[in-house]
Amino acid sequence: MVKIAPSLLAADYLHLSDALEVVNSSADLFHMDIMDGVFVPNISIGFPIVEAVAGAAEKPLDVHLMIVNPQNYASRFAAIKGVGMVSFHLEACPDPGELLCSLRRANVKAGLAINPDRNVEELFPYLEHCDFILLMSVFAGFGGQKFIEGTYDRIRALKKEISKRCLNVEIEVDGGVSPLNSKALADSGADILVAGTAVFRAEHPAEVIASMR
Ligand code: DX5
Ligand code: ZN
């Protein structure tokens, strides 16, 4: 069954405990978007919030680094108790293979992320070192963007390569995901769906999560 990872980017930060309750009771992972204002034209949250959420989370945290030189900070995120997955962008890292291996050594799942304008084939040399791929279905940087339809073909191409090589790599899709496209995404081969706006801007977040499953 597809896993649901609500993105806290769209949560109400004055009432973060409400978001925590939703994820703890209804979802599978806490997706945490870290933006540095350099790799993407936006700044989001950092260590204090990730640590606070981790301290109250009953589900693993899935940390998505949208920062340049992720090798400088990834191990610090990986060391936070409760963080289960860390991904960084292929475009942002001088030696992705080395960072993926060091994340695995830190006992978290290692993920490589790419924006929609990069070919999925660019990921292929690193697949052996990945536990998951984070396929962006919008350009990284902002919540609330429109889902890019070309994502389905990208999931299928990636899935085909993973199957051909008999690898155990999950595919996570991030951006513009909602109950309108969740079934088609899962049918195309997505294993984890990230959704921010669709979940936290809804009146009944738990129902949205249930319908995405
Ligand atoms: C965008 C982030 C996403 C974002 C998704 O750069 O990586 O995780 O929060 O938000 P929605 O679901 O609103 O597109
Ligand atoms: Zn994200």
Side-chain angles (χ1 to χ4, degrees):
M1 201 200 296
V2 73
K3 288 183 237 176
I4 308 295
S7 163
L8 264 64
L9 192 64
D12 175 353
Y13 280 79
L14 278 182
H15 301 94
L16 212 44
S17 51
D18 293 350
L20 277 156
E21 166 60 26
V22 166
V23 178
N24 278 337
S25 60
S26 311
D28 302 287
L29 296 159
F30 284 88
H31 187 81
M32 310 289 296
D33 289 300
I34 315 299
M35 306 180 187
D36 65 354
V38 180
F39 181 67
V40 289
N42 199 4
I43 297 176
S44 60
I45 56 166
F47 292 108
I49 296 210
V50 174
E51 284 162 353
V53 170
E58 291 162 18
K59 304 287 165 75
L61 271 62
D62 163 32
V63 174
H64 175 195
L65 299 177
M66 285 163 275
I67 64 176
V68 293
N69 292 317
Q71 71 280 4
N72 294 346
Y73 293 99
S75 63
R76 212 174 133 189
F77 283 105
I80 297 171
K81 192 171 172 292
V83 170
M85 302 163 67
V86 176
S87 62
F88 62 91
H89 278 254
L90 173 67
E91 312 91 310
C93 188
D95 189 348
E98 170 54 33
L99 183 51
L100 290 163
C101 291
S102 81
L103 284 169
R104 281 181 162 179
R105 285 195 297 270
N107 289 319
V108 293
K109 289 187 179 177
L112 202 47
I114 53 162
N115 264 316
D117 60 347
R118 305 295 292 249
N119 289 324
V120 287
E121 287 75 16
E122 291 181 59
L123 298 163
F124 291 1
Y126 304 104
L127 286 178
E128 263 86 8
H129 302 300
C130 291
D131 297 300
F132 68 105
I133 294 293
L134 196 165
L135 268 188
M136 291 303 303
S137 40
V138 301
F139 281 87
F142 297 90
Q145 301 181 71
K146 190 176 178 302
F147 177 82
I148 297 172
E149 296 292 326
T151 304
Y152 299 112
D153 285 343
R154 291 162 65 75
I155 298 170
R156 282 190 281 266
L158 186 55
K159 195 79 177 180
K160 193 170 158 202
E161 181 70 12
I162 291 168
S163 306
K164 190 177 91 184
R165 286 159 59 181
C166 298
L167 297 171
N168 186 14
V169 181
E170 290 186 301
I171 300 178
E172 177 172 33
V173 178
D174 184 4
V177 175
S178 76
L180 296 176
N181 52 23
S182 53
K183 184 175 187 305
L185 287 167
D187 289 347
S188 302
D191 303 291
I192 306 168
L193 301 179
V194 178
T197 305
V199 170
F200 289 116
R201 301 296 160 91
E203 204 160 325
H204 302 292
E207 286 173 19
V208 174
I209 292 169
S211 75
M212 282 199 289
R213 287 192 198 282

